[in-house]
Amino acid sequence: MSPELATSTKERTALVTGASSGIGAAFSKRLAADGYRLILVARRAERLEVMAKEFGAEHGAGFEVFPADLTRPEELLAVEDRIASEPSLELVVNNAGFGTLGPLAELDPDGEESEIRLNILALVRLTRAALPGLIERGRGGVINVSSMGALAPSPYMATYSATKAFVNSFTEGLAGELEGTGVTVQALCPGFTRTEFQEVAGAGTDDIPSFAWQEAEEVVDASLAGLERGDLVVIPGRANQAVAAVTAAMPRSLTRRVLGAAMRRTLAREEEPAP
Ligand code: NAP
């Protein structure tokens, strides 16, 4: 826990978007165990209700279920209002996100728009809603869940990797504004993590070696340890850190070719008839 977070008085509230599964559920569970009161945001209210009851029973954590589709402007606005009106808010985890896979020329344009609305617009607006209160209180933070995909443009996931590059750039820029305020921001860049992400994206996982995978809990541990240290960009796990170092050293044209070939193999495998 960061010094700012540790010195807070009484109630500390964390709002987590995309709390109904994967990394968001793992964040919620860990934060409840750490004594945060939680506001859980996602579309699947019934899942959030089950989680909230579990946290209440296990940790005595206070919770609030806030169902919202963050791609819908009026529902996003309701979450912004909730954030702005919460006096004990200390942490926002902008985690909700999804990826689309395939040649852009064939992808549903509305799906691409939703991806941009969720991965970028919602994240910016919720951060904007949280900052005045956090700055006034002089403590707390915002964790923006990005991706290893932010580190290199990816053919066949061009929109997704671009949204995550935005998240890194936005978060790093913001960090420069927040120096000396007591408010911390972090861009968290997970690699392959066992969640519902791949299924939602329609991406096969057969080609991905087992050492490349992390559990959502490992990603959350790395993020919160990074928040304590004040790390701006967190890449969880040695394998991801090695890939990030190699990517940074490679010419972009080569990265693009390597990623393009790997993605074409994935897409071809998806199209093979089931045995
Ligand atoms: P996940 O299991 O599919 O979780 C995504 C979460 O986002 C769900 O709780 C989902 O809840 C929520 N969500 C989706 N659309 C939403 C909408 N329109 N409004 C509100 N909430 C919405 O995937 P995950 O891996 O945990 O993803 C979390 C974050 O990690 C994402 O930003 C993703 O880009 C990033 N990430 C994941 C991986 C990976 O390999 N898993 C790698 C790099 C980065 P509902 O369906 O209930 O709304």
Side-chain angles (χ1 to χ4, degrees):
M1 197 179 308
S2 73
E4 290 83 9
L5 297 176
T7 54
S8 68
T9 54
K10 295 173 271 167
E11 197 164 75
R12 301 178 302 157
T13 297
L15 181 139
V16 181
T17 70
S20 61
S21 78
I23 296 170
F27 260 115
S28 304
K29 202 165 191 165
R30 165 71 191 275
L31 293 169
D34 286 353
Y36 280 88
R37 190 181 157 271
L38 284 163
I39 305 176
L40 306 173
V41 181
R43 292 167 302 181
R44 288 170 289 182
E46 60 298 341
R47 278 207 189 190
L48 299 180
E49 296 285 359
V50 170
M51 285 171 60
K53 282 204 185 85
E54 213 180 282
F55 300 157
E58 275 178 29
H59 310 294
F63 53 79
E64 192 177 317
V65 166
F66 204 111
D69 181 338
L70 296 173
T71 64
R72 297 188 173 188
E74 65 287 359
E75 295 184 33
L76 175 58
L77 199 56
V79 182
E80 289 175 48
D81 289 346
R82 183 66 194 88
I83 284 178
S85 66
E86 177 50 60
S88 66
L89 188 79
E90 289 223 355
L91 188 62
V92 172
V93 184
N94 279 311
N95 161 77
F98 73 97
T100 50
L101 172 71
L104 183 67
E106 294 171 18
L107 288 170
D108 173 9
D110 293 337
E112 299 302 283
E113 181 176 326
S114 290
E115 189 176 355
I116 293 166
R117 281 187 181 280
L118 184 62
N119 297 6
I120 295 182
L121 277 179
L123 179 139
V124 171
R125 293 197 64 112
L126 297 183
T127 304
R128 166 67 183 85
L131 283 182
L134 295 178
I135 293 168
E136 194 189 324
R137 294 187 286 279
R139 62 172 186 265
V142 178
I143 295 172
N144 289 327
V145 181
S146 178
S147 167
M148 288 286 288
L151 308 182
S154 177
Y156 306 102
M157 284 194 98
T159 306
Y160 179 71
S161 58
T163 64
K164 296 303 187 178
F166 176 96
V167 172
N168 278 28
S169 176
F170 170 72
T171 308
E172 288 183 48
L174 204 50
E177 292 179 27
L178 293 171
E179 272 168 31
T181 63
V183 179
T184 313
V185 283
Q186 178 189 110
L188 170 64
C189 302
F192 294 114
T193 311
R194 289 197 179 84
T195 67
E196 295 173 14
F197 179 87
Q198 273 73 23
E199 193 188 324
V200 172
T205 54
D206 293 352
D207 290 340
I208 303 162
S210 56
F211 68 82
W213 287 96
Q214 286 194 296
E215 300 300 328
E217 290 72 18
E218 295 176 81
V219 172
V220 169
D221 286 350
S223 170
L224 294 177
L227 197 68
E228 202 174 307
R229 290 190 298 268
D231 293 350
L232 174 53
V233 178
V234 171
I235 297 175
R238 292 235 171 87
N240 290 331
Q241 286 158 14
V243 171
V246 171
T247 305
M250 266 162 78
R252 281 238 166 163
S253 56
L254 180 58
T255 317
R256 197 161 57 238
R257 279 206 300 279
V258 170
L259 280 173
M263 297 299 271
R264 269 190 289 278
R265 271 200 307 276
T266 302
L267 288 168
R269 197 178 277 255
E270 293 306 294
E271 279 165 18
E272 280 170 13

